[in-house]
């Protein structure tokens, strides 16, 4: 055995992270109950990108921080009422802010988002959080790891085959189940170890 289980597990989990980040194929939601006079709410750490926010089932649009900062009198930042929009801080992907900040408690904020996959930690773990729609894409993990290991071993022609299989499979996955516009993953003409 040329590579330890620890090294292979690390490569497999890295491949899963790359695939999920490149496709946004896994989504979920979380809820929070509004608290009076509270602008910010913490979101799960596995969040990649928010795709929808509702307040008591009504959609909330996203506001850009530049839009909020454009108010020279600072009235936007100090306003209270029923939240009409949400915004994200650049410093943290796990915090959402509401504008205006809620004057009363009890409403339900629901955030729909693309999420990271949980790292695989045992032989029985199922890739991509066990999502049955993604079973047919498990081979992408093998292709990704294989091409990386072959590049390390300077077996470039063989690596190229696995990279092509990976790129084609990722493109298919992006077209069929993913939501993120996929950048082109063209196999490099020259792979280097």
């Amino acid at each position: 055995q040329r590579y330890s289980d620890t090294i292979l597990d690390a490569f497999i989990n890295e491949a899963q992270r790359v695939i999920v980040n490149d496709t946004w194929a896994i989504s979920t939601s979380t809820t929070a109950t509004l608290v009076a006079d509270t602008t910010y709410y913490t979101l799960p750490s596995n969040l990649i990108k928010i795709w929808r926010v509702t307040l008591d089932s009504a959609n909330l649009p996203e506001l850009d921080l530049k839009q909020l900062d454009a108010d020279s009198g600072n009235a936007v930042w100090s306003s209270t009422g029923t939240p009409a929009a949400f915004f994200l801080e650049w410093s943290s992907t796990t915090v959402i802010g509401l504008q205006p900040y809620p004057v009363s408690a009890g409403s339900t904020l629901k955030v729909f988002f693309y999420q990271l996959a949980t790292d695989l930690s045992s032989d029985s773990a199922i890739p991509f959080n066990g999502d049955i729609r993604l079973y047919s894409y498990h081979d992408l993990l093998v292709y990704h790891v294989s091409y990386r290991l072959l590049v390390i071993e300077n077996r470039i022609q063989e690596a190229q085959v696995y990279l092509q299989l990976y790129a084609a499979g990722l493109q298919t996955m992006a077209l069929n189940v993913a939501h993120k516009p996929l950048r082109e993953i063209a196999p490099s003409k020259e792979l280097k170890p």
Side-chain angles (χ1 to χ4, degrees):
Q1 182 173 339
R2 298 178 65 125
Y3 299 95
S4 70
D5 287 348
T6 301
I7 290 172
L8 292 173
D9 287 345
F11 273 61
I12 291 166
N13 281 316
E14 183 179 331
Q16 181 177 238
R17 285 189 291 273
V18 168
I19 292 164
V20 170
N21 276 315
D22 279 351
T23 63
W24 296 350
I26 304 172
S27 62
T28 191
S29 65
T30 188
T31 60
T33 302
L34 296 193
V35 177
D37 300 325
T38 301
T39 301
Y40 296 100
Y41 296 84
T42 302
L43 299 172
S45 60
N46 64 347
L47 181 143
I48 297 175
K49 171 120 176 87
I50 292 173
W51 59 273
R52 183 177 187 218
V53 175
T54 63
L55 181 62
D56 292 335
S57 301
N59 286 331
L60 290 182
E62 182 175 3
L63 284 177
D64 186 287
L65 287 176
K66 289 179 183 177
Q67 292 172 295
L68 291 169
D69 287 339
D71 175 22
S72 58
N74 238 4
V76 170
W77 285 110
S78 60
S79 64
T80 63
T82 300
F86 75 93
F87 62 91
L88 299 171
E89 293 280 356
W90 287 104
S91 60
S92 174
T93 59
T94 60
V95 174
I96 188 172
L98 300 177
Q99 198 288 319
Y101 64 85
V103 71
S104 60
S107 292
T108 301
L109 182 72
K110 188 166 187 176
V111 179
F112 300 83
F113 62 95
Y114 303 114
Q115 73 176 83
L116 298 170
T118 303
D119 278 353
L120 304 169
S121 59
S122 70
D123 290 345
S124 62
I126 301 172
F128 308 123
N129 292 1
D131 188 330
I132 196 166
R133 299 171 311 130
L134 305 177
Y135 275 34
S136 61
Y137 302 103
H138 291 180
D139 57 350
L140 293 179
L141 299 171
V142 175
Y143 299 154
H144 190 277
V145 172
S146 296
Y147 98 75
R148 290 202 52 216
L149 293 176
L150 289 166
V151 168
I152 290 169
E153 295 182 4
N154 202 25
R155 294 164 58 186
I156 303 306
Q157 284 186 315
E158 292 168 90
Q160 194 75 26
V161 170
Y162 284 101
L163 180 58
Q164 288 173 346
L165 289 169
Y166 171 75
L170 191 66
Q171 187 69 37
T172 300
M173 183 180 184
L175 291 171
N176 291 335
V177 298
H179 306 283
K180 180 180 181 184
L182 187 63
R183 62 176 165 58
E184 185 175 332
I185 302 176
S188 172
K189 292 182 181 175
E190 184 179 341
L191 293 175
K192 295 179 182 177

